[in-house]
Amino acid sequence: LRHTAFARHRRSKAPATMGVLTSKKVKITSWTEYILTHYRGVFCLFFLLPLSALFEAYLWLRNAINFWMRRSAKKTQHATRVNEISTQVKAWATDGKKAKMCTARPGWQTMSLRVGKYKKTNTKIYLGDLCNVLDVNVDAGLVKVEPLVTMGQLTHALLPLGYTIPVLPELDDLTVGGLVSGVGIETSSHKYGLFQYICVHFE
């Protein structure tokens, strides 16, 4: 007991470093910033949540229509949209490639907290509504999709047929094109690898 008490006594004599806590007021530059800072709960409850619900309802309705109309007309629309994108890229090349290319998809639709400021200076290429499941080939075990098809949309198209993809990320809003270009590290498989390894062809 004496040894323990001595050790505690010695430890209490050891020098300690203490930080000084200071309060610094943050300068609010606008009323919008003030409301979002001090009343963000109210803003989220009465604005963001209803807006998110409406947007999800719109996506669900759009995906449902795309699912039931997935036939030869879809393939014709796909070819038309690809030609429109090709025309934009050719115009960019003819103009001398003065700036880099990027998609015209707004930053708020991405799954990243980073603000893509490069979109303000780069040449934006409008991809249109490339969000269709074009074909499900049950015999070959292949599904043909456009790059803006989400995991939720792909799952709802395949599950009624009794199928799923080997590597399925758990976030419904992730797109096929984003997973391919972003290496798809959200989900992987010991057997099949990353998401892009289950893709057999890119257009």
Side-chain angles (χ1 to χ4, degrees):
L1 292 177
R2 289 181 179 178
H3 179 73
T4 303
F6 178 74
R8 289 177 179 171
H9 177 69
R10 290 294 299 272
R11 278 198 293 270
S12 65
K13 292 288 186 178
T17 303
M18 298 182 64
V20 179
L21 299 178
T22 59
S23 60
K24 186 178 180 180
K25 293 183 177 180
V26 179
K27 186 177 180 181
I28 304 298
T29 58
S30 66
W31 281 105
T32 304
E33 185 179 354
Y34 178 83
I35 293 174
L36 293 178
T37 302
H38 296 279
Y39 298 98
R40 54 184 176 271
V42 177
F43 179 77
C44 291
L45 182 62
F46 294 102
F47 180 74
L48 285 185
L49 289 180
L51 186 63
S52 299
L54 290 175
F55 185 69
E56 287 295 326
Y58 158 74
L59 291 180
W60 181 87
L61 183 62
R62 184 200 66 180
N63 295 340
I65 294 174
N66 288 341
F67 175 76
W68 292 111
M69 296 178 62
R70 187 183 68 242
R71 288 296 178 260
S72 58
K74 283 286 190 70
K75 299 178 182 179
T76 305
Q77 294 173 4
H78 173 73
T80 302
R81 291 168 181 165
V82 171
N83 288 333
E84 291 174 355
I85 296 172
S86 177
T87 301
Q88 295 179 70
V89 175
K90 289 178 181 178
W92 167 78
T94 304
D95 195 38
K97 303 179 181 179
K98 298 178 181 179
K100 295 181 178 180
M101 285 191 303
C102 68
T103 65
R105 191 185 187 198
W108 61 268
Q109 287 187 351
T110 64
M111 295 295 294
S112 174
L113 297 177
R114 182 175 63 89
V115 179
K117 295 182 179 180
Y118 62 91
K119 289 183 178 288
K120 295 181 179 180
T121 56
N122 292 359
T123 301
K124 291 185 284 293
I125 304 298
Y126 180 67
L127 298 182
D129 295 323
L130 292 177
C131 55
N132 297 320
V133 179
L134 298 175
D135 183 54
V136 179
N137 191 330
V138 176
D139 296 330
L142 296 174
V143 55
K144 185 177 181 181
V145 301
E146 292 178 326
L148 295 182
V149 169
T150 65
M151 292 299 100
Q153 183 181 354
L154 184 57
T155 300
H156 284 89
L158 294 178
L159 283 183
L161 303 177
Y163 291 93
T164 187
I165 56 177
V167 181
L168 181 62
E170 63 271 18
L171 298 179
D172 284 349
D173 293 333
L174 293 174
T175 62
V176 173
L179 287 167
V180 172
S181 61
V183 195
I185 58 176
E186 172 65 29
T187 301
S188 61
S189 167
H190 289 289
K191 183 176 181 180
Y192 297 100
L194 297 171
F195 180 85
Q196 64 267 26
Y197 296 147
I198 66 173
C199 301
V200 297
H201 178 75
F202 299 99
E203 181 182 17

